[in-house]
Amino acid sequence: MMDVKKALEDSDNYLMNTYNRFPLVLRKGRGMKVWSADGKEYLDFVGGIAVNVLGHCHPKVVVAIQKQAQRLIHVSNYYHIEPQINLAKVLVEHSFADKVFFCNSGAEANEAAIKLVRKYAKENIGTERFEIITADNSFHGRTLAALSASGQVKLQKGFEPMVPGFRYVPFNDADAIKKAITSKTAAVMLEPIQGEGGVRLPEEDYLSKVRKICSMNNLLLVFDEVQTGIGRTGKLFAYEHYGITPDIMTLAKGLGSGVPIGAMLATGEVSSAFKPADHGSTFGGNPLVCAAGLATLNAILEDGFVLDQCRRMGEYLIQKLNALKEDFPSIIAEIRGRGLLVGMELTKECGAAVKACIERGVLINCTAGNVLRFMPPLTVQKKDIDHLATVLEDVFERMS
Ligand SMILES: *Cc1c(COP(=O)(O)O)cnc(C)c1O
C-alpha cells in the first residue's frame, strides 16, 4: 500500500501543477461513497464533476467494460465499430439529432461543433460567416477554440491570442444576441444552464427566444450539454425542459460513467457538411468507451427510475438547502438548480466551507468563487441528502 504522505510528495514531484488539489488520495468508490487511501469514507456530492451519474462503479457499467475489454478494446475508425453504432443509435432515438460524432472529452466535442458550424455556415449560410456568439460567464472547455468560446477572461489570460470568431453577450439577454448579429455571424452557442459559471438558470422564455432569433436570422443554435446532458437536470437532455431543439448539441461528462468519451450530435442537414477527412479522432468512439456509454444510457432509460429519482431528489435537495438558507441568511444568498445540478450561492468565498465538509466526510464542489455546487449521482437517496444537510448545518454554525 502506498504511503499517503509519499503519494502527496510524489504527486508534487511528478505532476504538473494544474489543479488546486485537496490533500486527499481517493482509491475506491461504490455508489455514493468513495474511500481514501488512509481508509476514510466520504459521501460524494461532486460525482467526478457531474460524471458519475449512476454512482461509482455501477455493476452494469463495470461488467460492460470488463466484457468489452476481453473482446476488443480499440480499432481504427477506418473500420465499423459495433458499440459505437449502437450508442449512436440510442442517442439519435432519444434526441432531436440524426447523426453523432464521437470524441474523448467535452472540449473536443465543442471543437467538433465549432468546426461543423464553420463548415456548414460557409457552404450554406454565406462564405463570410464564421462568427459564433457565446455568453459571458460561459464555460466550453480548455482547448484553444473551446477556451476562446468561453466568456471568461480570467481563464484566457496568459494564453492569448485567442482563436478569432467569438463574440460574447450577457446570458439571459435575448436582445443582446440580436444586437450582436453581424454579416459574419454563423451561430449562437450556449449552455442551457451555466454550470461552471455558478449554476445559472435561463429565464423561462430565454432559450425559446434565442431559438426564434436563430431561426429568423438563419443561424445555427448550439447547446453545450456537456454538464446538463445525460439526465443531470431530470430529463435526458436539458433542452427538453424548454420546448425547443438546438441544431447541434455536445455531450461528455455523464455519457460514459467516467471513461473518457464525448459526442457531438446534429441534425441530418447540418451533419451533411462534414465529409470524410474533415474531422476525426484516433480514440473517438472506440469499442471500450462506447460499451460504457451504452451501459450507462441503457441503465438510465431502462425504466425511467433514474430520471424520476433525479427529479425527486433534486427537489428534496433544494428544499433542504432552502431550509438552511432560512437559518443562515447572512451566509447563504441563494439556492438555484434543476434536477441534480444545484448551486448554493454564499455571501463569501466558499473554499473554507468545502474544506470543513471534507473534514466531516462529505465531498462538495465550489465554483465561480462563491457557489457551492452539488452534482451527486442521479441515484442519490434521501438519507444521503439528510446527512449532507446535517454536515452543512454544522459547518455554517461554526462559520457564523
Ligand atoms: C466540463 C465542461 C466542458 C469541458 O469538458 P472537458 O471534458 O473537461 O473537456 C465543456 N462544457 C461544459 C458545459 C462543461 O461543463
Side-chain angles (χ1 to χ4, degrees):
M1 194 163 98
M2 202 182 199
D3 169 53
V4 172
K5 196 163 151 274
K6 179 79 165 47
L8 296 179
E9 261 172 40
D10 283 355
S11 181
D12 275 353
N13 285 336
Y14 299 119
L15 290 167
M16 289 201 195
N17 189 22
T18 54
Y19 304 98
N20 252 322
R21 294 182 205 260
F22 299 101
L24 195 58
V25 182
L26 297 179
R27 180 174 283 163
K28 185 180 142 176
R30 258 328 156 271
M32 269 299 290
K33 288 177 183 158
V34 287
W35 288 268
S36 60
D38 50 5
K40 292 205 184 95
E41 183 179 291
Y42 294 86
L43 199 58
D44 186 4
F45 276 86
V46 178
I49 309 282
V51 166
N52 301 307
V53 284
L54 299 171
H56 292 280
C57 301
H58 189 284
K60 286 187 179 161
V61 177
V62 171
V63 168
I65 291 173
Q66 284 172 334
K67 278 193 177 160
Q68 189 58 50
Q70 281 178 342
R71 188 176 305 131
L72 184 67
I73 294 176
H74 179 84
V75 286
S76 164
N77 272 310
Y78 288 129
Y79 310 99
H80 295 275
I81 297 169
E82 283 166 321
Q84 184 181 126
I85 299 164
N86 296 337
L87 180 57
K89 184 160 182 268
V90 174
L91 286 170
V92 164
E93 283 175 353
H94 290 87
S95 73
F96 73 94
D98 302 305
K99 294 283 172 76
V100 185
F101 172 84
F102 286 108
C103 51
N104 312 286
S105 68
E108 274 184 57
N110 287 328
E111 294 280 336
I114 292 162
K115 280 182 72 176
L116 183 61
V117 163
R118 286 189 176 192
K119 187 98 191 309
Y120 178 84
K122 279 176 199 201
E123 291 173 0
N124 297 280
I125 311 179
T127 48
E128 298 297 308
R129 291 198 178 253
F130 62 89
E131 271 186 4
I132 301 176
I133 297 171
T134 67
D136 290 340
N137 214 28
S138 59
F139 183 77
H140 300 294
R142 301 284 190 163
T143 56
L144 263 179
L147 186 63
S148 306
S150 303
Q152 298 193 52
V153 175
K154 70 170 196 288
L155 302 181
Q156 300 174 342
K157 206 161 167 279
F159 302 105
E160 301 89 348
M162 287 293 109
V163 175
F166 296 95
R167 288 168 73 95
Y168 316 106
V169 296
F171 189 66
N172 264 333
D173 184 346
D175 282 337
I177 291 178
K178 252 189 232 166
K179 287 194 194 118
I181 295 171
T182 70
S183 59
K184 293 197 176 82
T185 312
V188 175
M189 178 169 170
L190 296 171
E191 299 155 85
I193 296 170
Q194 291 191 331
E196 303 299 309
V199 192
R200 311 261 165 204
L201 298 178
E203 275 160 25
E204 209 42 55
D205 58 351
Y206 174 60
L207 296 175
S208 61
K209 277 187 186 160
V210 175
R211 173 70 272 182
K212 213 171 277 168
I213 291 168
C214 288
S215 299
M216 282 173 60
N217 291 279
N218 209 12
L219 307 176
L220 297 177
L221 178 58
V222 183
F223 277 169
D224 176 345
E225 293 228 27
V226 168
Q227 186 157 157
T228 54
I230 320 298
R232 176 58 46 190
T233 68
K235 295 208 182 259
L236 194 56
F237 306 112
Y239 75 79
E240 296 173 52
H241 291 292
Y242 302 100
I244 50 150
T245 58
D247 303 293
I248 299 176
M249 171 171 74
T250 54
L251 300 172
K253 291 196 166 83
L255 181 55
S257 287
V259 300
I261 180 169
M264 189 270 289
L265 290 70
T267 61
E269 148 94 3
V270 174
S271 305
S272 66
F274 267 176
K275 301 285 187 314
D278 275 344
H279 199 48
S281 164
T282 298
F283 294 127
N286 91 7
L288 188 75
V289 298
C290 287
L294 203 53
T296 303
L297 276 182
N298 284 339
I300 292 174
L301 295 168
E302 205 167 50
D303 52 11
F305 170 79
V306 176
L307 293 179
D308 268 357
Q309 182 73 357
C310 172
R311 284 190 287 265
R312 275 198 304 267
M313 290 302 107
E315 278 168 27
Y316 186 65
L317 174 59
I318 287 175
Q319 181 193 321
K320 293 294 267 190
L321 297 181
N322 269 319
L324 283 171
K325 179 171 173 278
E326 305 252 302
D327 293 341
F328 302 98
S330 66
I331 300 179
I332 304 170
E334 191 182 39
I335 315 295
R336 46 181 187 258
R338 188 138 210 182
L340 284 166
L341 180 55
V342 176
M344 174 188 257
E345 187 172 326
L346 302 188
T347 55
K348 51 183 110 182
E349 297 280 301
C350 50
V354 170
K355 195 162 162 281
C357 283
I358 293 180
E359 284 162 5
R360 289 161 179 77
V362 175
L363 304 185
I364 58 171
N365 169 258
C366 170
T367 191
N370 66 336
V371 180
L372 294 177
R373 182 174 42 161
F374 307 94
M375 41 208 158
L378 311 184
T379 50
V380 65
Q381 293 177 21
K382 243 178 167 171
K383 65 174 180 357
D384 304 319
I385 293 171
D386 290 339
H387 185 73
L388 168 74
T390 309
V391 166
L392 284 174
E393 187 176 7
D394 181 39
V395 167
F396 291 145
E397 227 149 55
R398 274 154 211 261
M399 280 169 67
S400 57

